[in-house]
Amino acid sequence: MSMPGKNSFSPPMLSFASLNAAPHEFYRELRPEFPFVQREDGAFLVLRANDVQALVSDPRTRQVETELARARGISGGPVMELISNSLLFSNGDTHRRRRQPLSRCFAFRMMDGLRPNVRSLAEELVTLKLCDGEMKLRDDYAAAIPAITIAGILGIPRCDVPLFTQLAYRVSKILTTSWTRDDLPDIEAAINELSSYISSIIDDRRKRPRPDFLSDYVANIDETAEMSALEAVMQIVSVVLGGTDTTRAAIVVMIGLLVDRQGSSWSSLRNQPQMVAAAVSESLRFEPSVASIPRLAIQDIHLDGYVIPRGSPVLLSTMSALRDPDVYVEPDNFNLMRPMGKWHPVFGGGEHRCLGEALARIEMEEALAALLNSRLDLDLGDQQLRVHGHAGIRQVDELLIRWR
Ligand code: HEM
């Protein structure tokens, strides 16, 4: 890698391809020298933990709205419709108006009530696979837990889960770094299909309310009349996007990392089940499933002698920050004893802090606990955990787990 000297006052400009090839290596090499690098689409990737933590809710930044999509040549159509109506890509009163009807349902206390259901689901999936002697970790287990749980919250019939989940994966590609213009027609078709599916279940709850989250949501938005019909649909689409791919990847990463370290981590967890929450936190730090948080610089931002100019899209690299040795001792070591504090940076900060944190943690904890409690010895053979992407939602390859 060729890097300009610090006196050039411009950080390196990097292509998507080079960043995606070996992101940890890039970040490790660049972070001591540069507080940020610039990507070929113009976005600035902020690399250091203290800067990432400060800028996530700094008044010199705001949430990106349509800027990143426009930078990649999108000016209309379903992608723009989703982005311009989602809580994730909005600010101020518009954001509060869109988030408020969802917040109560996803609060920690409410989510804890779902824990027994998530536990039974994880145990049922393990039992189902016991006779086979092996399991596709991603498709048979890690994908099913968040998909069936979100479908349950929304009251989606179990038979629709495969269709609805496939649509969610196709749409969430837009939040990864691996899509190209060739993927756009498929992403657009999936947004149209997913939003009309959600729209139909919203209409159904309006006509036939039940004691469930979606009926309460519809009643609340109808009563306050603060959201358009399209906005009401797009908040639920945003929850589906936030809640499927992210947690699927996080579960594969966590179990992949722990099984790979059988000798130490797996057996210590079996003997100390109270360490499950720590295993969740450390795996989210070591190999986060969401690698960056987007913002827009609304003023010039000076960092260590360099300037991010006003108006630039900024990606706060949680992936780099979570391996910053200035904050994490021996950051490239996976360490279950590492103190991570109450507010894990992987879920962001400020007004946009992840709405689904409580749910994600419950799903990850129960996914791990069900495998530990099965007392099975798991084996990955010579397969490697492969996680792709340097920003946004990351993707994982399938891992076939065998019981020994
Ligand atoms: C390990 C799993 C997850 C990770 C690492 C993660 C990470 C994040 C991050 C970093 C943000 C903040 C983005 C920003 O500030 O721009 C966010 C927002 C969000 N997440 Fe998650 N998330 C996860 C799981 C979930 C789940 C399970 C749900 C759904 C129930 C969810 C729904 C959302 C929503 C709706 C937002 C937008 C919040 C807002 O803009 O106000 N996430 N997530």
Side-chain angles (χ1 to χ4, degrees), residues 68-76 79 173-174 177-188:
L68 281 173
R70 286 187 197 283
R72 293 198 68 183
I74 300 174
S75 56
V79 171
K173 201 153 192 203
I174 202 75
T177 49
S178 57
W179 66 273
T180 64
R181 286 204 72 80
D182 294 343
D183 298 310
L184 260 186
D186 184 65
I187 295 172
E188 294 189 335

Side-chain angles (χ1 to χ4, degrees), residues 222-235:
D222 286 351
E223 190 184 309
T224 54
E226 284 194 328
M227 262 199 263
S228 70
L230 183 61
E231 277 181 305
V233 170
M234 290 309 186
Q235 301 335 302

Side-chain angles (χ1 to χ4, degrees), residues 63 87-88 95 99 106 242-243 246 290 293-295 346 352 354 356:
Q63 180 60 295
L87 79 160
L88 181 55
H95 172 252
R99 180 165 169 132
F106 287 94
T246 50
V290 176
I293 299 172
R295 290 292 181 267
V346 80
H352 288 270
C354 180

Side-chain angles (χ1 to χ4, degrees), residues 282 285 328-340:
E282 178 64 351
R285 182 198 70 83
Y328 302 99
V329 178
E330 298 183 351
D332 297 324
N333 288 351
F334 183 83
N335 176 4
L336 292 180
M337 303 309 285
R338 187 184 299 281
M340 278 305 293

